[in-house]
Amino acid sequence: MGFFPAQIGLQTVMALIVQKYGGTSVANPERIKKVAERVARFRAQGHQLVVVVSAMSGETDRLIKLAKEIQAQPDPRELDVMISTGEQVTIGMLAMALIERGIPAKSYTGSQVRILTDEAHTKARILEIDEQRMRADLDAGKVVVVAGFQGSTEEGDITTLGRGGSDTTGVALAAALKADECQIYTDVDGVYTTDPRIVPEARRLETITFEEMLEMASLGSKVLQIRSVEFAGKYKVKLRVLSSFEDKNDGTLITFEENTNMEQPIISGIAFNRDEAKLSLLGVPDRPGIAYGILAPVGQANVDVDMIIQNIGVDGSTDFSFTVHRNDYQKTLDLLNNTIKPETGAREVRGDNKICKVSLVGVGMRSHAGVASKMFKTLSEEGINIQMISTSEIKISVVIDEKYMELAVRALHKAFGLDSATPPAKG
Ligand code: ADP
Ligand code: ASP
Ligand code: MG
């Protein structure tokens, strides 16, 4: 691998690097041996390494399915006991693969490291990391292998960090150890303008700003778990996304400075998300307190609301729509029909769980007008109806019918000059 370390920005002097390998990168013994090979190369260059691994691809899904065969709504504490096992297998395997190559290595589960989390089983947050054991091993010349996705509570109960949580383990360890760089190795060679599985013309970005990455992750690009990006921002971790399958480039660096290059495209990326559902309450009395009357019970039922739209009132009544995670659709629909509709005196409840959200993201939007109108024009030319719109400084999201998602993403990718064959849009 020619690019490291000179081009990647690390000194030839010893650096402390945290590397995280996702499910497809440790999918079988051969892939795990490949990981050990890369780790060995970095170590031979004099670097200290902490390696975080996910479960083998498909394993976490398999375990969740198994749990559901026992309990339709698995007990969260016990589910964490089960689904954390996937990573315990791969840390042992990787440590063995390293030892087999003659490299001293030691594996740790989250609780052995002492990755302390809160008690929110299946979506726990990291509170504190004890880096002493890892530091001692590194000083003794060992490679430290840590299970991603898991931690433990003050009481010693096993917790998990939410799907995709190994990214967060990686970045959190890098922050705790003040590592020189955190490298997220996956099955694509960086962050692309959009998911390359949906748009083959998608381009790899050399850099993306932290703010843009945060939006992309929160709007559905699962290449990095959002919490890992939040951690990187909070602790200024140097974060890079790279391929574990090929070493031909430097991947994508998440930067903390905005690129002031005038040629910088206005839109950096397009994110999409199929996990949402829309609910509407029609003919609600238009009076103070109505939004609270609708959304307070929804919040009390532990349902997070994303977009909200309230129409202008006509003749004393209005329509109110909002989106929730698709998993919460039925629960929210029942709540609207059984409780909120009678309490508010609304005329009708409507629901649609076949929607998706498509979002344009780019810091360039701050200084350029016309992005929204170009987006709406592009969608109208494809005959796609927009159901909801929401904007912030650096993003525009629309809700559309799920069946047009790919068409919309492709059309927008082209219209905004993101396709690999075309030059970036300038205005
Ligand atoms: P891992 O198992 O390594 O954590 P993930 O499946 O969680 O990998 O994330 C990598 C996947 O993210 C890619 O295979 C790709 O399909 C998807 N993805 C979604 N949006 C993007 C994007 N903008 N750039 C790159 N990959 C993306
Ligand atoms: N194995 C966990 C999952 O599939 C964590 C991860 O891969 O990041 O969600
Ligand atoms: Mg992932």
Side-chain angles (χ1 to χ4, degrees), residues 20-25 54-55 57 164 166-167 184-198 203 205 213 216 220-225 241 269-272:
K20 175 260 169 177
Y21 291 88
T24 42
S25 306
S54 293
S57 61
S166 299
D167 296 334
I184 305 285
Y185 286 92
T186 182
D187 54 4
V188 281
D189 61 351
V191 179
Y192 276 64
T193 46
T194 193
D195 189 340
R197 285 180 209 279
I198 299 289
R203 277 186 297 114
L205 300 164
M213 194 62 241
M216 289 285 278
S221 297
K222 65 168 188 142
V223 60
L224 286 175
Q225 196 199 35
V241 178
I270 303 178
F272 50 84

Side-chain angles (χ1 to χ4, degrees), residues 189-251:
D189 61 351
V191 179
Y192 276 64
T193 46
T194 193
D195 189 340
R197 285 180 209 279
I198 299 289
V199 181
E201 292 81 15
R203 277 186 297 114
R204 179 176 63 87
L205 300 164
E206 290 280 328
T207 62
I208 182 167
T209 69
F210 156 72
E211 264 185 300
E212 288 170 328
M213 194 62 241
L214 204 57
E215 289 284 6
M216 289 285 278
S218 82
L219 296 167
S221 297
K222 65 168 188 142
V223 60
L224 286 175
Q225 196 199 35
I226 180 152
R227 285 187 186 169
S228 71
V229 187
E230 288 167 355
F231 252 102
K234 190 162 173 198
Y235 297 98
K236 295 285 175 290
V237 174
K238 189 171 174 201
L239 181 60
R240 192 183 287 277
V241 178
L242 304 134
S243 166
S244 74
F245 289 78
E246 46 187 26
D247 287 328
K248 66 172 194 233
N249 61 49
D250 297 356

Side-chain angles (χ1 to χ4, degrees), residues 237-304:
V237 174
K238 189 171 174 201
L239 181 60
R240 192 183 287 277
V241 178
L242 304 134
S243 166
S244 74
F245 289 78
E246 46 187 26
D247 287 328
K248 66 172 194 233
N249 61 49
D250 297 356
T252 302
L253 179 69
I254 319 301
T255 59
F256 294 99
E257 285 109 54
E258 282 181 23
N259 188 341
T260 46
N261 180 353
M262 294 304 285
E263 301 292 301
Q264 177 76 359
I266 302 162
I267 302 303
S268 297
I270 303 178
F272 50 84
N273 183 355
R274 264 186 259 250
D275 295 337
E276 296 202 20
K278 185 176 79 164
L279 296 123
S280 302
L281 214 49
L282 309 183
V284 202
D286 190 17
R287 57 173 158 76
I290 206 71
Y292 178 71
I294 296 168
L295 295 179
V298 173
Q300 275 152 18
N302 261 327
V303 174
D304 288 332

Side-chain angles (χ1 to χ4, degrees), residues 281 335-349:
L281 214 49
L335 190 67
L336 283 175
N337 276 317
N338 303 335
T339 313
I340 301 172
K341 182 175 171 238
E343 276 176 10
T344 56
R347 191 181 69 241
E348 190 185 336
V349 173

Side-chain angles (χ1 to χ4, degrees), residues 39-350:
V39 171
R41 275 203 309 266
F42 275 82
R43 191 167 175 276
Q45 292 169 345
H47 303 302
Q48 292 186 317
L49 286 135
V50 173
V51 186
V52 174
V53 284
S54 293
M56 292 179 175
S57 61
E59 180 62 6
T60 310
D61 288 340
R62 189 185 72 86
L63 292 166
I64 292 172
K65 198 161 158 262
L66 207 54
K68 287 187 174 164
E69 281 177 35
I70 302 281
Q71 233 188 340
Q73 297 276 328
D75 178 87
R77 182 187 182 279
E78 305 314 324
L79 184 63
D80 276 351
V81 169
M82 273 184 82
I83 64 177
S84 58
T85 59
E87 275 75 6
Q88 190 166 337
V89 172
T90 46
I91 52 169
M93 288 178 84
L94 179 60
M96 280 184 218
L98 288 163
I99 292 165
E100 184 66 17
R101 299 183 70 95
I103 296 173
K106 207 164 162 187
S107 71
Y108 292 100
T109 63
S111 82
Q112 283 177 311
V113 170
R114 202 80 220 283
I115 298 179
L116 182 71
T117 73
D118 63 16
E119 285 154 20
H121 284 288
T122 74
K123 46 176 187 280
R125 281 183 182 270
I126 297 176
L127 301 175
E128 212 179 288
I129 292 177
D130 181 354
E131 13 83 59
Q132 280 181 31
R133 284 182 88 171
M134 293 185 290
R135 192 76 74 186
D137 285 341
L138 291 171
D139 290 345
K142 292 188 184 122
V143 170
V144 177
V145 181
V146 179
F149 181 53
Q150 54 176 266
S152 65
T153 65
E154 199 77 69
E155 276 72 48
D157 286 336
I158 297 171
T159 49
T160 62
L161 309 177
R163 299 307 305 268
S166 299
D167 296 334
T168 302
T169 306
V171 180
L173 289 181
L177 290 159
K178 301 188 178 57
D180 296 283
E181 184 161 311
C182 179
Q183 303 172 343
I184 305 285
Y185 286 92
T186 182
D187 54 4
V188 281
D189 61 351
V191 179
Y192 276 64
T193 46
T194 193
D195 189 340
R197 285 180 209 279
I198 299 289
V199 181
E201 292 81 15
R203 277 186 297 114
R204 179 176 63 87
L205 300 164
E206 290 280 328
T207 62
I208 182 167
T209 69
F210 156 72
E211 264 185 300
E212 288 170 328
M213 194 62 241
L214 204 57
E215 289 284 6
M216 289 285 278
S218 82
L219 296 167
S221 297
K222 65 168 188 142
V223 60
L224 286 175
Q225 196 199 35
I226 180 152
R227 285 187 186 169
S228 71
V229 187
E230 288 167 355
F231 252 102
K234 190 162 173 198
Y235 297 98
K236 295 285 175 290
V237 174
K238 189 171 174 201
L239 181 60
R240 192 183 287 277
V241 178
L242 304 134
S243 166
S244 74
F245 289 78
E246 46 187 26
D247 287 328
K248 66 172 194 233
N249 61 49
D250 297 356
T252 302
L253 179 69
I254 319 301
T255 59
F256 294 99
E257 285 109 54
E258 282 181 23
N259 188 341
T260 46
N261 180 353
M262 294 304 285
E263 301 292 301
Q264 177 76 359
I266 302 162
I267 302 303
S268 297
I270 303 178
F272 50 84
N273 183 355
R274 264 186 259 250
D275 295 337
E276 296 202 20
K278 185 176 79 164
L279 296 123
S280 302
L281 214 49
L282 309 183
V284 202
D286 190 17
R287 57 173 158 76
I290 206 71
Y292 178 71
I294 296 168
L295 295 179
V298 173
Q300 275 152 18
N302 261 327
V303 174
D304 288 332
V305 170
D306 180 20
M307 284 194 196
I308 302 170
I309 287 190
Q310 185 182 332
N311 286 352
I312 291 177
V314 177
D315 300 333
S317 81
T318 185
D319 299 337
F320 193 96
S321 300
F322 58 96
T323 62
V324 300
H325 194 283
R326 208 174 273 190
N327 291 345
D328 291 326
Y329 175 66
Q330 197 54 49
K331 178 168 149 185
T332 314
L333 194 60
D334 292 346
L335 190 67
L336 283 175
N337 276 317
N338 303 335
T339 313
I340 301 172
K341 182 175 171 238
E343 276 176 10
T344 56
R347 191 181 69 241
E348 190 185 336
V349 173
R350 279 196 200 159

